Amino acid sequence: MKRTTLSLFAGAAALAAVTGFAAVSAPGDTGAETAEPAARLPVERTSLLCPAPSASDLAETTYTSFTPVTEGAEEKGSATLTAAADGAGAEAGKGGEDAESGKDGEDAKDGNDGKDGKPVLRPGAPGTPVTGTASGADAPALTGTAEGSHAPGWTVQQTTEVAAGTGRGLLGLNCTAPDTEFWFPGASTASGRTDYVHLTNPDDSAAVVDIELYGKDGVLKSTVGEGVTVPPGGGESLLLSTLTDVEQTDVTVHVNVRSGRLGAAVQALDDKTGGDWLTAAADPAGELVVPGIPADATAVRLMLFTPGGSDADLKVRLASPSGAITPAGHETVHVKAGMTTGVDLGEVTRGEAGSLVLTPTSGSVPVVAAVRVVRGEGGEQESAFIPASDPVGARATAAENRAKGTTLSVTAPDRTAKVEVTASAGTEGGTTATKTFTIEGGTTQNVEVPVPAGLKGTYALTVETVSGGPVYAARTLTGEDEDVASFTVQPLPDDRGTVSVPKAEQNLSVLQQPPA
């Protein structure tokens, strides 16, 4: 569990202790009230951070912003996305009145790239996505805040197409919420790889961070990554090979924030197989799911790391359309404590949808994991990364989808589940469409994505868990050129649109001093 979540629970507990109480009845207590379950209410403020998209002059970047309609949300709100370099991160939620009036992102339609300090995006009403663009190598990192009606489930997809050179292809990520700790298994300092860790600070005070690298034999010694300062409202990118002189094929990057909070992502660029963003893996856990490995993957490499002091032994299963399969020769994997382990799984999906399910063979040891996926052959190979993900939960959101080239993969690793998938209106027109799917336990399905009627532009997808066990999902985008294997994959964890609020009643007597 991330520290921000712990802080939320601690704050809620403190508030209940001061201003209220939750009554719980014990067996046999006839007069006591029964505690009511915590209510889930829409969040009122959401922050997102997008890293600088590319160092290539050939880069063409699209930002797509979307807030799903959420029952119980405030009637009015605003959202903006602004260049981090101008220090606007702490103020990004202000000045968004155009969003309240329903003007659908005039700044975005003008193609503003944020270099002049104006918002790159100013979304319109929830339920309709808005796009903005940026070109070239000097597009900045972005910070954004959504408030009121625009906050619940606010999602921004950053997609960059690079025509040639190191890291060519399609690079995509969902812009992330600020946090204080991140794990990135799957990075590399090997020859032929150029990996950067991008840090973005949304606040009006500097953040201090330590960057630790772990290879196949343990920690890679370096003092360069200690005490890195990220300026207020700014962004920094650090080349991993400058943090250590050791070349390693598989490296786990640990970003630990000493003070403040950050957004973090690793841009992994390969001379031969293109590149993509490696986003943070789900928090260390004993059981993990890596969802949405493309059916036509020609090579899959699994990277794992355990941050504790104990080794981990994991059973490896592939959840396929027909059920759970054990990859031949890779029934289990042993992960040494504090060391990064890499395993080549080859063409593990064999032409079918698949997700990796990792479970302990005996005692549970927390692990982080990700896979590197390659599509295509020869000189047209492209690569992407899929980290282990949290489940969809109540609802997950993917902001940018196209009439062609969008694949939605849904996994129910344990019990059968039912999900509802909704396509929003398009950025330039179209009406919503919804489909419901049943995913059998132990399987992965590439579902038939609904497409808005009369679609113009791109659209957003929301995935909601209706019933059954937990589900995991990932969305794959492929390039518009069918002769090239360019692609990017984004896992779809819960979009944090609602938060659990305990039932409490006012009881000011707890503040009174009892008589002596």
Side-chain angles (χ1 to χ4, degrees):
M1 183 178 293
K2 287 185 168 53
R3 298 178 190 175
T4 49
T5 307
L6 290 171
S7 298
L8 176 62
F9 289 153
L15 181 64
V18 174
T19 63
F21 68 94
V24 181
S25 61
D29 290 347
T30 57
E33 299 179 30
T34 301
E36 297 184 23
R40 295 201 65 86
L41 300 178
V43 300
E44 298 178 356
R45 183 181 176 90
T46 298
S47 296
L48 292 177
L49 306 169
C50 308
S54 179
S56 172
D57 291 332
L58 303 178
E60 297 293 334
T61 299
T62 299
Y63 302 95
T64 304
S65 169
F66 178 72
T67 298
V69 176
T70 303
E71 184 178 354
E74 295 183 16
E75 294 183 2
K76 294 184 177 181
S78 63
T80 53
L81 199 61
T82 309
D86 64 9
E91 301 295 322
K94 299 183 180 180
E97 288 77 8
D98 286 347
E100 293 182 15
S101 62
K103 298 179 181 178
D104 291 337
E106 295 299 326
D107 292 299
K109 292 181 180 180
D110 291 339
N112 179 54
D113 58 10
K115 300 171 189 175
D116 55 5
K118 294 181 180 179
V120 174
L121 286 177
R122 185 168 289 150
T128 302
V130 172
T131 62
T133 60
S135 298
D138 57 349
L142 304 177
T143 68
T145 299
E147 297 179 331
S149 60
H150 289 63
W154 185 41
T155 302
V156 176
Q157 167 82 15
Q158 174 181 297
T159 305
T160 303
E161 294 192 58
V162 179
T166 298
R168 73 184 188 284
L170 202 63
L171 295 80
L173 84 166
N174 281 330
C175 299
T176 59
D179 210 330
T180 57
E181 187 175 33
F182 306 85
W183 291 97
F184 300 97
S188 179
T189 58
S191 175
R193 278 280 289 272
T194 307
D195 287 15
Y196 294 85
V197 58
H198 286 248
L199 308 172
T200 309
N201 182 0
D203 298 323
D204 55 6
S205 60
V208 180
V209 59
D210 293 331
I211 302 172
E212 300 165 332
L213 306 180
Y214 298 88
K216 62 183 179 65
D217 298 317
V219 65
L220 303 181
K221 294 182 179 180
S222 170
T223 59
V224 182
E226 296 180 3
V228 175
T229 299
V230 184
E236 295 282 352
S237 62
L238 293 90
L239 181 62
L240 294 189
S241 60
T242 64
L243 303 182
T244 178
D245 57 2
V246 180
E247 291 191 4
Q248 295 271 298
T249 300
D250 302 308
V251 172
T252 297
V253 180
H254 180 216
V255 176
N256 186 37
V257 183
R258 290 191 202 174
S259 64
R261 55 183 190 150
L262 294 170
V266 171
Q267 191 174 49
L269 310 177
D270 192 282
D271 291 345
K272 296 181 179 179
T273 60
D276 206 348
W277 288 99
L278 170 60
T279 54
D283 287 345
E287 299 185 8
L288 298 171
V289 176
V290 183
I293 300 173
D296 59 353
T298 55
V300 176
R301 185 171 178 82
L302 171 65
M303 287 78 68
L304 309 105
F305 177 80
T306 175
S310 301
D311 292 2
D313 288 288
L314 299 171
K315 181 189 299 183
V316 181
R317 291 178 297 152
L318 180 76
S320 74
S322 57
I325 299 172
T326 300
H330 300 292
E331 294 83 0
T332 62
V333 59
H334 180 72
V335 186
K336 294 182 179 180
M339 303 179 188
T340 300
T341 298
V343 180
D344 278 322
L345 300 179
E347 298 182 49
V348 65
T349 56
R350 299 188 180 278
E352 294 186 319
S355 300
L356 286 180
V357 180
L358 308 173
T359 56
T361 58
S362 54
S364 179
V365 176
V367 176
V368 292
V371 299
R372 180 174 183 256
V373 179
V374 177
R375 293 176 67 240
E377 300 288 346
E380 294 187 348
Q381 288 183 322
E382 296 286 355
S383 57
F385 295 85
I386 312 173
S389 175
D390 290 322
V392 166
R395 181 186 65 194
T397 301
E400 180 187 354
N401 301 278
R402 305 165 184 173
K404 294 182 179 180
T406 295
T407 301
L408 178 64
S409 179
V410 184
T411 302
D414 300 313
R415 295 182 288 127
T416 297
K418 182 179 291 186
V419 297
E420 184 177 88
V421 180
T422 300
S424 74
T427 52
E428 302 295 334
T431 56
T432 60
T434 299
K435 289 184 178 181
T436 300
F437 303 93
T438 297
I439 312 299
E440 298 294 330
T443 71
T444 296
Q445 307 291 335
N446 284 350
V447 302
E448 184 180 354
V449 176
V451 177
L455 172 66
K456 295 182 179 180
T458 60
Y459 65 99
L461 283 173
T462 57
V463 182
E464 298 178 78
T465 305
V466 176
S467 61
V471 295
Y472 296 75
R475 188 277 317 275
T476 299
L477 284 179
T478 55
E480 297 181 0
D481 186 349
E482 296 182 358
D483 294 330
V484 179
S486 60
F487 73 114
T488 182
V489 183
Q490 280 74 56
L492 302 180
D494 193 297
D495 65 16
R496 311 172 310 279
T498 59
V499 64
S500 181
V501 179
K503 177 70 175 178
E505 297 181 11
Q506 189 176 39
N507 182 14
L508 298 181
S509 64
V510 299
L511 302 178
Q512 297 176 354
Q513 181 72 25

PDB file of all heavy atoms in Angstrom, residues 467-499:
ATOM      1  N   SER A 467     -19.860  -7.716 -11.199  1.00  0.00           N
ATOM      2  CA  SER A 467     -20.013  -8.776 -10.196  1.00  0.00           C
ATOM      3  C   SER A 467     -18.878  -9.776 -10.351  1.00  0.00           C
ATOM      4  O   SER A 467     -18.126  -9.751 -11.326  1.00  0.00           O
ATOM      5  CB  SER A 467     -21.367  -9.493 -10.365  1.00  0.00           C
ATOM      6  OG  SER A 467     -21.449 -10.109 -11.644  1.00  0.00           O
ATOM      7  N   GLY A 468     -18.757 -10.663  -9.356  1.00  0.00           N
ATOM      8  CA  GLY A 468     -17.773 -11.726  -9.412  1.00  0.00           C
ATOM      9  C   GLY A 468     -16.445 -11.336  -8.806  1.00  0.00           C
ATOM     10  O   GLY A 468     -16.346 -10.402  -8.002  1.00  0.00           O
ATOM     11  N   GLY A 469     -15.411 -12.064  -9.190  1.00  0.00           N
ATOM     12  CA  GLY A 469     -14.086 -11.851  -8.633  1.00  0.00           C
ATOM     13  C   GLY A 469     -13.387 -10.650  -9.233  1.00  0.00           C
ATOM     14  O   GLY A 469     -13.920  -9.964 -10.116  1.00  0.00           O
ATOM     15  N   PRO A 470     -12.165 -10.358  -8.756  1.00  0.00           N
ATOM     16  CA  PRO A 470     -11.411  -9.216  -9.277  1.00  0.00           C
ATOM     17  C   PRO A 470     -11.026  -9.423 -10.734  1.00  0.00           C
ATOM     18  O   PRO A 470     -10.768 -10.553 -11.171  1.00  0.00           O
ATOM     19  CB  PRO A 470     -10.174  -9.168  -8.371  1.00  0.00           C
ATOM     20  CG  PRO A 470     -10.028 -10.550  -7.838  1.00  0.00           C
ATOM     21  CD  PRO A 470     -11.417 -11.088  -7.711  1.00  0.00           C
ATOM     22  N   VAL A 471     -10.997  -8.326 -11.496  1.00  0.00           N
ATOM     23  CA  VAL A 471     -10.587  -8.374 -12.894  1.00  0.00           C
ATOM     24  C   VAL A 471      -9.437  -7.402 -13.112  1.00  0.00           C
ATOM     25  O   VAL A 471      -9.303  -6.393 -12.408  1.00  0.00           O
ATOM     26  CB  VAL A 471     -11.750  -8.048 -13.856  1.00  0.00           C
ATOM     27  CG1 VAL A 471     -12.824  -9.105 -13.785  1.00  0.00           C
ATOM     28  CG2 VAL A 471     -12.324  -6.675 -13.569  1.00  0.00           C
ATOM     29  N   TYR A 472      -8.609  -7.727 -14.090  1.00  0.00           N
ATOM     30  CA  TYR A 472      -7.485  -6.888 -14.497  1.00  0.00           C
ATOM     31  C   TYR A 472      -7.653  -6.591 -15.980  1.00  0.00           C
ATOM     32  O   TYR A 472      -8.184  -7.423 -16.728  1.00  0.00           O
ATOM     33  CB  TYR A 472      -6.156  -7.599 -14.244  1.00  0.00           C
ATOM     34  CG  TYR A 472      -5.875  -7.882 -12.790  1.00  0.00           C
ATOM     35  CD1 TYR A 472      -6.535  -8.906 -12.113  1.00  0.00           C
ATOM     36  CD2 TYR A 472      -4.959  -7.125 -12.076  1.00  0.00           C
ATOM     37  CE1 TYR A 472      -6.293  -9.176 -10.775  1.00  0.00           C
ATOM     38  CE2 TYR A 472      -4.699  -7.376 -10.736  1.00  0.00           C
ATOM     39  CZ  TYR A 472      -5.365  -8.394 -10.095  1.00  0.00           C
ATOM     40  OH  TYR A 472      -5.126  -8.650  -8.756  1.00  0.00           O
ATOM     41  N   ALA A 473      -7.196  -5.429 -16.401  1.00  0.00           N
ATOM     42  CA  ALA A 473      -7.401  -5.056 -17.801  1.00  0.00           C
ATOM     43  C   ALA A 473      -6.200  -4.279 -18.322  1.00  0.00           C
ATOM     44  O   ALA A 473      -5.444  -3.666 -17.564  1.00  0.00           O
ATOM     45  CB  ALA A 473      -8.674  -4.213 -17.962  1.00  0.00           C
ATOM     46  N   ALA A 474      -6.022  -4.333 -19.644  1.00  0.00           N
ATOM     47  CA  ALA A 474      -4.991  -3.549 -20.323  1.00  0.00           C
ATOM     48  C   ALA A 474      -5.507  -3.199 -21.713  1.00  0.00           C
ATOM     49  O   ALA A 474      -6.227  -3.986 -22.343  1.00  0.00           O
ATOM     50  CB  ALA A 474      -3.678  -4.312 -20.412  1.00  0.00           C
ATOM     51  N   ARG A 475      -5.095  -2.016 -22.173  1.00  0.00           N
ATOM     52  CA  ARG A 475      -5.494  -1.558 -23.506  1.00  0.00           C
ATOM     53  C   ARG A 475      -4.238  -1.439 -24.387  1.00  0.00           C
ATOM     54  O   ARG A 475      -3.250  -0.821 -23.998  1.00  0.00           O
ATOM     55  CB  ARG A 475      -6.183  -0.200 -23.390  1.00  0.00           C
ATOM     56  CG  ARG A 475      -6.827   0.341 -24.674  1.00  0.00           C
ATOM     57  CD  ARG A 475      -5.858   1.053 -25.584  1.00  0.00           C
ATOM     58  NE  ARG A 475      -4.958   1.933 -24.878  1.00  0.00           N
ATOM     59  CZ  ARG A 475      -5.244   3.184 -24.552  1.00  0.00           C
ATOM     60  NH1 ARG A 475      -6.394   3.698 -24.878  1.00  0.00           N
ATOM     61  NH2 ARG A 475      -4.337   3.929 -23.901  1.00  0.00           N
ATOM     62  N   THR A 476      -4.291  -2.030 -25.580  1.00  0.00           N
ATOM     63  CA  THR A 476      -3.198  -1.941 -26.543  1.00  0.00           C
ATOM     64  C   THR A 476      -3.598  -1.027 -27.687  1.00  0.00           C
ATOM     65  O   THR A 476      -4.681  -1.184 -28.267  1.00  0.00           O
ATOM     66  CB  THR A 476      -2.838  -3.326 -27.110  1.00  0.00           C
ATOM     67  OG1 THR A 476      -2.414  -4.169 -26.041  1.00  0.00           O
ATOM     68  CG2 THR A 476      -1.722  -3.221 -28.137  1.00  0.00           C
ATOM     69  N   LEU A 477      -2.738  -0.056 -28.009  1.00  0.00           N
ATOM     70  CA  LEU A 477      -2.888   0.786 -29.190  1.00  0.00           C
ATOM     71  C   LEU A 477      -1.831   0.376 -30.200  1.00  0.00           C
ATOM     72  O   LEU A 477      -0.660   0.209 -29.843  1.00  0.00           O
ATOM     73  CB  LEU A 477      -2.691   2.265 -28.848  1.00  0.00           C
ATOM     74  CG  LEU A 477      -3.809   3.021 -28.138  1.00  0.00           C
ATOM     75  CD1 LEU A 477      -3.367   4.456 -27.883  1.00  0.00           C
ATOM     76  CD2 LEU A 477      -5.090   2.995 -28.948  1.00  0.00           C
ATOM     77  N   THR A 478      -2.211   0.225 -31.453  1.00  0.00           N
ATOM     78  CA  THR A 478      -1.248  -0.043 -32.515  1.00  0.00           C
ATOM     79  C   THR A 478      -1.207   1.139 -33.455  1.00  0.00           C
ATOM     80  O   THR A 478      -2.165   1.899 -33.590  1.00  0.00           O
ATOM     81  CB  THR A 478      -1.605  -1.321 -33.286  1.00  0.00           C
ATOM     82  OG1 THR A 478      -2.951  -1.218 -33.784  1.00  0.00           O
ATOM     83  CG2 THR A 478      -1.512  -2.533 -32.373  1.00  0.00           C
ATOM     84  N   GLY A 479      -0.061   1.303 -34.123  1.00  0.00           N
ATOM     85  CA  GLY A 479       0.117   2.418 -35.046  1.00  0.00           C
ATOM     86  C   GLY A 479      -0.823   2.329 -36.238  1.00  0.00           C
ATOM     87  O   GLY A 479      -1.318   1.253 -36.594  1.00  0.00           O
ATOM     88  N   GLU A 480      -1.050   3.470 -36.875  1.00  0.00           N
ATOM     89  CA  GLU A 480      -1.976   3.521 -38.006  1.00  0.00           C
ATOM     90  C   GLU A 480      -1.412   2.836 -39.244  1.00  0.00           C
ATOM     91  O   GLU A 480      -2.160   2.434 -40.128  1.00  0.00           O
ATOM     92  CB  GLU A 480      -2.334   4.978 -38.299  1.00  0.00           C
ATOM     93  CG  GLU A 480      -3.082   5.656 -37.145  1.00  0.00           C
ATOM     94  CD  GLU A 480      -3.442   7.099 -37.457  1.00  0.00           C
ATOM     95  OE1 GLU A 480      -3.112   7.552 -38.574  1.00  0.00           O
ATOM     96  OE2 GLU A 480      -4.048   7.747 -36.590  1.00  0.00           O
ATOM     97  N   ASP A 481      -0.081   2.720 -39.337  1.00  0.00           N
ATOM     98  CA  ASP A 481       0.542   2.038 -40.464  1.00  0.00           C
ATOM     99  C   ASP A 481       0.535   0.538 -40.192  1.00  0.00           C
ATOM    100  O   ASP A 481       1.262   0.036 -39.340  1.00  0.00           O
ATOM    101  CB  ASP A 481       1.979   2.527 -40.649  1.00  0.00           C
ATOM    102  CG  ASP A 481       2.636   1.958 -41.909  1.00  0.00           C
ATOM    103  OD1 ASP A 481       2.050   1.038 -42.516  1.00  0.00           O
ATOM    104  OD2 ASP A 481       3.736   2.423 -42.261  1.00  0.00           O
ATOM    105  N   GLU A 482      -0.291  -0.207 -40.923  1.00  0.00           N
ATOM    106  CA  GLU A 482      -0.458  -1.636 -40.660  1.00  0.00           C
ATOM    107  C   GLU A 482       0.794  -2.444 -40.998  1.00  0.00           C
ATOM    108  O   GLU A 482       0.929  -3.590 -40.584  1.00  0.00           O
ATOM    109  CB  GLU A 482      -1.659  -2.175 -41.443  1.00  0.00           C
ATOM    110  CG  GLU A 482      -2.997  -1.561 -41.006  1.00  0.00           C
ATOM    111  CD  GLU A 482      -4.166  -2.141 -41.760  1.00  0.00           C
ATOM    112  OE1 GLU A 482      -3.923  -2.990 -42.649  1.00  0.00           O
ATOM    113  OE2 GLU A 482      -5.314  -1.758 -41.470  1.00  0.00           O
ATOM    114  N   ASP A 483       1.726  -1.868 -41.764  1.00  0.00           N
ATOM    115  CA  ASP A 483       2.933  -2.590 -42.137  1.00  0.00           C
ATOM    116  C   ASP A 483       4.022  -2.499 -41.069  1.00  0.00           C
ATOM    117  O   ASP A 483       5.062  -3.148 -41.175  1.00  0.00           O
ATOM    118  CB  ASP A 483       3.482  -2.043 -43.461  1.00  0.00           C
ATOM    119  CG  ASP A 483       2.533  -2.310 -44.626  1.00  0.00           C
ATOM    120  OD1 ASP A 483       1.820  -3.329 -44.580  1.00  0.00           O
ATOM    121  OD2 ASP A 483       2.504  -1.490 -45.561  1.00  0.00           O
ATOM    122  N   VAL A 484       3.794  -1.674 -40.052  1.00  0.00           N
ATOM    123  CA  VAL A 484       4.782  -1.482 -38.998  1.00  0.00           C
ATOM    124  C   VAL A 484       4.183  -1.985 -37.684  1.00  0.00           C
ATOM    125  O   VAL A 484       3.000  -1.805 -37.418  1.00  0.00           O
ATOM    126  CB  VAL A 484       5.177   0.004 -38.870  1.00  0.00           C
ATOM    127  CG1 VAL A 484       6.197   0.202 -37.753  1.00  0.00           C
ATOM    128  CG2 VAL A 484       5.752   0.500 -40.197  1.00  0.00           C
ATOM    129  N   ALA A 485       5.020  -2.612 -36.838  1.00  0.00           N
ATOM    130  CA  ALA A 485       4.522  -3.255 -35.622  1.00  0.00           C
ATOM    131  C   ALA A 485       4.464  -2.309 -34.423  1.00  0.00           C
ATOM    132  O   ALA A 485       4.456  -2.768 -33.281  1.00  0.00           O
ATOM    133  CB  ALA A 485       5.400  -4.451 -35.291  1.00  0.00           C
ATOM    134  N   SER A 486       4.447  -0.995 -34.632  1.00  0.00           N
ATOM    135  CA  SER A 486       4.462  -0.054 -33.511  1.00  0.00           C
ATOM    136  C   SER A 486       3.225  -0.226 -32.642  1.00  0.00           C
ATOM    137  O   SER A 486       2.113  -0.392 -33.140  1.00  0.00           O
ATOM    138  CB  SER A 486       4.557   1.381 -34.018  1.00  0.00           C
ATOM    139  OG  SER A 486       3.465   1.710 -34.848  1.00  0.00           O
ATOM    140  N   PHE A 487       3.444  -0.190 -31.308  1.00  0.00           N
ATOM    141  CA  PHE A 487       2.339  -0.394 -30.378  1.00  0.00           C
ATOM    142  C   PHE A 487       2.732   0.104 -28.999  1.00  0.00           C
ATOM    143  O   PHE A 487       3.899   0.344 -28.703  1.00  0.00           O
ATOM    144  CB  PHE A 487       1.945  -1.869 -30.318  1.00  0.00           C
ATOM    145  CG  PHE A 487       2.928  -2.750 -29.591  1.00  0.00           C
ATOM    146  CD1 PHE A 487       2.591  -3.370 -28.396  1.00  0.00           C
ATOM    147  CD2 PHE A 487       4.211  -2.977 -30.100  1.00  0.00           C
ATOM    148  CE1 PHE A 487       3.491  -4.185 -27.723  1.00  0.00           C
ATOM    149  CE2 PHE A 487       5.112  -3.799 -29.440  1.00  0.00           C
ATOM    150  CZ  PHE A 487       4.756  -4.401 -28.244  1.00  0.00           C
ATOM    151  N   THR A 488       1.739   0.253 -28.150  1.00  0.00           N
ATOM    152  CA  THR A 488       1.952   0.598 -26.743  1.00  0.00           C
ATOM    153  C   THR A 488       0.825  -0.016 -25.936  1.00  0.00           C
ATOM    154  O   THR A 488      -0.305  -0.150 -26.427  1.00  0.00           O
ATOM    155  CB  THR A 488       2.023   2.125 -26.537  1.00  0.00           C
ATOM    156  OG1 THR A 488       2.288   2.417 -25.160  1.00  0.00           O
ATOM    157  CG2 THR A 488       0.722   2.810 -26.932  1.00  0.00           C
ATOM    158  N   VAL A 489       1.129  -0.418 -24.698  1.00  0.00           N
ATOM    159  CA  VAL A 489       0.151  -1.093 -23.840  1.00  0.00           C
ATOM    160  C   VAL A 489       0.047  -0.348 -22.516  1.00  0.00           C
ATOM    161  O   VAL A 489       1.072  -0.041 -21.901  1.00  0.00           O
ATOM    162  CB  VAL A 489       0.545  -2.560 -23.572  1.00  0.00           C
ATOM    163  CG1 VAL A 489      -0.534  -3.259 -22.732  1.00  0.00           C
ATOM    164  CG2 VAL A 489       0.785  -3.301 -24.876  1.00  0.00           C
ATOM    165  N   GLN A 490      -1.179  -0.055 -22.078  1.00  0.00           N
ATOM    166  CA  GLN A 490      -1.399   0.573 -20.772  1.00  0.00           C
ATOM    167  C   GLN A 490      -2.306  -0.307 -19.907  1.00  0.00           C
ATOM    168  O   GLN A 490      -3.451  -0.581 -20.286  1.00  0.00           O
ATOM    169  CB  GLN A 490      -2.058   1.959 -20.919  1.00  0.00           C
ATOM    170  CG  GLN A 490      -1.107   3.074 -21.289  1.00  0.00           C
ATOM    171  CD  GLN A 490      -0.679   2.998 -22.745  1.00  0.00           C
ATOM    172  OE1 GLN A 490      -1.510   2.984 -23.641  1.00  0.00           O
ATOM    173  NE2 GLN A 490       0.622   2.924 -22.983  1.00  0.00           N
ATOM    174  N   PRO A 491      -1.804  -0.774 -18.745  1.00  0.00           N
ATOM    175  CA  PRO A 491      -2.687  -1.439 -17.782  1.00  0.00           C
ATOM    176  C   PRO A 491      -3.752  -0.455 -17.294  1.00  0.00           C
ATOM    177  O   PRO A 491      -3.531   0.763 -17.285  1.00  0.00           O
ATOM    178  CB  PRO A 491      -1.741  -1.847 -16.648  1.00  0.00           C
ATOM    179  CG  PRO A 491      -0.378  -1.800 -17.244  1.00  0.00           C
ATOM    180  CD  PRO A 491      -0.415  -0.728 -18.279  1.00  0.00           C
ATOM    181  N   LEU A 492      -4.890  -0.991 -16.854  1.00  0.00           N
ATOM    182  CA  LEU A 492      -6.005  -0.142 -16.432  1.00  0.00           C
ATOM    183  C   LEU A 492      -6.405  -0.464 -14.993  1.00  0.00           C
ATOM    184  O   LEU A 492      -7.381  -1.181 -14.745  1.00  0.00           O
ATOM    185  CB  LEU A 492      -7.206  -0.333 -17.370  1.00  0.00           C
ATOM    186  CG  LEU A 492      -6.952  -0.045 -18.852  1.00  0.00           C
ATOM    187  CD1 LEU A 492      -8.213  -0.269 -19.655  1.00  0.00           C
ATOM    188  CD2 LEU A 492      -6.427   1.369 -19.055  1.00  0.00           C
ATOM    189  N   PRO A 493      -5.669   0.064 -14.008  1.00  0.00           N
ATOM    190  CA  PRO A 493      -6.092  -0.096 -12.611  1.00  0.00           C
ATOM    191  C   PRO A 493      -7.237   0.855 -12.299  1.00  0.00           C
ATOM    192  O   PRO A 493      -7.614   1.701 -13.123  1.00  0.00           O
ATOM    193  CB  PRO A 493      -4.834   0.278 -11.832  1.00  0.00           C
ATOM    194  CG  PRO A 493      -4.152   1.282 -12.713  1.00  0.00           C
ATOM    195  CD  PRO A 493      -4.429   0.840 -14.124  1.00  0.00           C
ATOM    196  N   ASP A 494      -7.786   0.746 -11.110  1.00  0.00           N
ATOM    197  CA  ASP A 494      -8.874   1.618 -10.655  1.00  0.00           C
ATOM    198  C   ASP A 494      -8.504   3.077 -10.887  1.00  0.00           C
ATOM    199  O   ASP A 494      -7.386   3.511 -10.596  1.00  0.00           O
ATOM    200  CB  ASP A 494      -9.137   1.364  -9.169  1.00  0.00           C
ATOM    201  CG  ASP A 494     -10.430   1.989  -8.693  1.00  0.00           C
ATOM    202  OD1 ASP A 494     -10.542   3.225  -8.738  1.00  0.00           O
ATOM    203  OD2 ASP A 494     -11.326   1.243  -8.263  1.00  0.00           O
ATOM    204  N   ASP A 495      -9.438   3.853 -11.442  1.00  0.00           N
ATOM    205  CA  ASP A 495      -9.139   5.247 -11.793  1.00  0.00           C
ATOM    206  C   ASP A 495      -9.273   6.212 -10.609  1.00  0.00           C
ATOM    207  O   ASP A 495      -9.210   7.433 -10.792  1.00  0.00           O
ATOM    208  CB  ASP A 495     -10.005   5.720 -12.965  1.00  0.00           C
ATOM    209  CG  ASP A 495     -11.507   5.763 -12.642  1.00  0.00           C
ATOM    210  OD1 ASP A 495     -11.880   5.728 -11.452  1.00  0.00           O
ATOM    211  OD2 ASP A 495     -12.312   5.840 -13.585  1.00  0.00           O
ATOM    212  N   ARG A 496      -9.460   5.680  -9.407  1.00  0.00           N
ATOM    213  CA  ARG A 496      -9.486   6.492  -8.183  1.00  0.00           C
ATOM    214  C   ARG A 496     -10.592   7.544  -8.211  1.00  0.00           C
ATOM    215  O   ARG A 496     -10.459   8.618  -7.639  1.00  0.00           O
ATOM    216  CB  ARG A 496      -8.125   7.178  -7.950  1.00  0.00           C
ATOM    217  CG  ARG A 496      -6.930   6.270  -8.051  1.00  0.00           C
ATOM    218  CD  ARG A 496      -5.611   7.023  -8.000  1.00  0.00           C
ATOM    219  NE  ARG A 496      -5.584   8.145  -8.931  1.00  0.00           N
ATOM    220  CZ  ARG A 496      -5.322   8.039 -10.225  1.00  0.00           C
ATOM    221  NH1 ARG A 496      -5.065   6.860 -10.748  1.00  0.00           N
ATOM    222  NH2 ARG A 496      -5.317   9.100 -10.995  1.00  0.00           N
ATOM    223  N   GLY A 497     -11.695   7.217  -8.876  1.00  0.00           N
ATOM    224  CA  GLY A 497     -12.787   8.187  -8.974  1.00  0.00           C
ATOM    225  C   GLY A 497     -13.585   8.349  -7.701  1.00  0.00           C
ATOM    226  O   GLY A 497     -14.229   9.386  -7.504  1.00  0.00           O
ATOM    227  N   THR A 498     -13.548   7.344  -6.828  1.00  0.00           N
ATOM    228  CA  THR A 498     -14.268   7.425  -5.562  1.00  0.00           C
ATOM    229  C   THR A 498     -13.343   7.038  -4.427  1.00  0.00           C
ATOM    230  O   THR A 498     -12.318   6.381  -4.629  1.00  0.00           O
ATOM    231  CB  THR A 498     -15.500   6.498  -5.554  1.00  0.00           C
ATOM    232  OG1 THR A 498     -15.069   5.148  -5.768  1.00  0.00           O
ATOM    233  CG2 THR A 498     -16.488   6.907  -6.634  1.00  0.00           C
ATOM    234  N   VAL A 499     -13.706   7.449  -3.235  1.00  0.00           N
ATOM    235  CA  VAL A 499     -12.917   7.133  -2.048  1.00  0.00           C
ATOM    236  C   VAL A 499     -13.860   6.659  -0.960  1.00  0.00           C
ATOM    237  O   VAL A 499     -15.020   7.098  -0.876  1.00  0.00           O
ATOM    238  CB  VAL A 499     -12.111   8.366  -1.575  1.00  0.00           C
ATOM    239  CG1 VAL A 499     -13.032   9.483  -1.129  1.00  0.00           C
ATOM    240  CG2 VAL A 499     -11.143   7.993  -0.470  1.00  0.00           C
TER     241      VAL A 499
END
